[in-house]
């Protein structure tokens, strides 16, 4: 369900059905980051400028990219290491369990991940600008759209059922 009706401090919102996933692959995380950057990317594609409207999206992708790099060991440059502190102490600690050089590399890798997914979102929207405009027209008319509206514009989701079954195991 997607709406353009302001909700609290948000200018609009998207609701997703919960998925039961315990194991997430890096490509799934990147796809989610790309989708999350879609609002900001749409501003860039349509208006050639961006706004502060994507704050919660930026928070979400930054947290996800940081987790990929520092918790799950899903970054080639940082490697198979985790800086996860299961005691919860690190949030209030003034020292980090890595060097300043590693901290700079972590920051660079997080930024690179986010920027690559933002650019990917821009490319996808530019290639599908006509569909983006159709979606915007329906949102302006109805204010709320559902899965059926999306399928009418974009067609049914195209995904590998075997991959979905593996993910839910």
């Amino acid at each position: 369900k997607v709406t353009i009706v302001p909700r609290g401090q948000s200018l609009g919102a998207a609701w997703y059905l919960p998925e039961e996933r315990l194991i997430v692959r890096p490509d799934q995380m990147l796809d989610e980051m790309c989708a999350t950057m879609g609002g900001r990317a749409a501003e860039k594609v349509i208006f050639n400028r961006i706004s502060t409207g994507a704050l919660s999206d930026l928070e979400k992708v930054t947290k996800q990219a940081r987790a990929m790099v520092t918790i799950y060991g899903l970054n080639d440059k940082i490697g198979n290491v985790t800086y996860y502190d299961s005691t919860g102490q690190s949030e209030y600690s003034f020292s980090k369990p890595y060097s300043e050089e590693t901290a700079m590399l972590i920051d660079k890798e997080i930024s690179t991940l986010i920027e690559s997914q933002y650019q990917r979102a821009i490319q996808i929207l530019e290639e599908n600008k006509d569909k983006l405009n159709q979606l915007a027209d329906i949102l302006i008319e109805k204010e709320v759209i559902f899965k059926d509206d999306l399928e009418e514009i974009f067609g049914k989701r195209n995904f590998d059922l075997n991959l979905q079954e593996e993910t839910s195991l």
Side-chain angles (χ1 to χ4, degrees):
K1 179 177 176 182
V2 177
T3 180
I4 56 171
V5 177
R7 304 285 184 206
Q9 293 183 350
S10 174
L11 298 177
W15 289 271
Y16 304 94
L17 292 174
E19 291 185 40
E20 291 186 28
R21 290 188 309 188
L22 300 177
I23 296 175
V24 181
R25 291 184 179 82
D27 57 326
Q28 292 170 305
M29 293 177 88
L30 294 173
D31 287 348
E32 288 173 9
M33 289 171 63
C34 179
T36 302
M37 294 302 289
R40 174 161 279 199
E43 287 182 329
K44 183 70 175 164
V45 168
I46 299 300
F47 305 116
N48 198 29
R49 63 173 88 157
I50 56 173
S51 72
T52 59
L55 176 59
S56 65
D57 297 336
L58 292 174
E59 289 172 339
K60 180 179 176 182
V61 296
T62 301
K63 184 177 180 181
Q64 198 161 24
R66 182 171 301 283
M68 287 179 76
V69 173
T70 64
I71 295 175
Y72 300 121
L74 297 175
N75 180 269
D76 292 337
K77 290 188 180 167
I78 301 298
N80 293 313
V81 64
T82 185
Y83 297 109
Y84 177 70
D85 180 3
S86 62
T87 65
Q89 299 292 326
S90 66
E91 191 174 325
Y92 304 103
S93 175
F94 290 104
S95 65
K96 293 184 168 98
Y98 43 81
S99 68
E100 191 59 36
E101 182 181 325
T102 301
M104 289 177 12
L105 181 57
I106 287 170
D107 288 344
K108 183 178 185 296
E109 290 302 299
I110 290 168
S111 180
T112 299
L113 272 174
I114 295 168
E115 186 60 25
S116 69
Q117 295 314 304
Y118 175 59
Q119 292 303 321
R120 182 176 160 214
I122 287 173
Q123 180 182 350
I124 290 168
L125 290 174
E126 284 177 343
E127 291 170 1
N128 294 280
K129 200 171 185 178
D130 57 327
K131 294 175 182 176
L132 175 61
N133 287 325
Q134 280 182 278
L135 179 64
D137 290 343
I138 291 173
L139 274 169
I140 289 169
E141 179 188 328
K142 295 184 178 183
E143 292 184 349
V144 176
I145 62 171
F146 296 91
K147 178 183 171 188
D148 293 341
D149 298 307
L150 294 172
E151 285 179 349
E152 189 174 315
I153 296 170
F154 298 102
K156 294 236 183 233
R157 283 182 74 174
N158 192 9
F159 58 89
D160 185 351
L161 290 175
N162 291 330
L163 184 60
Q164 185 182 27
E165 288 173 9
E166 285 177 26
T167 304
S168 63
L169 291 178

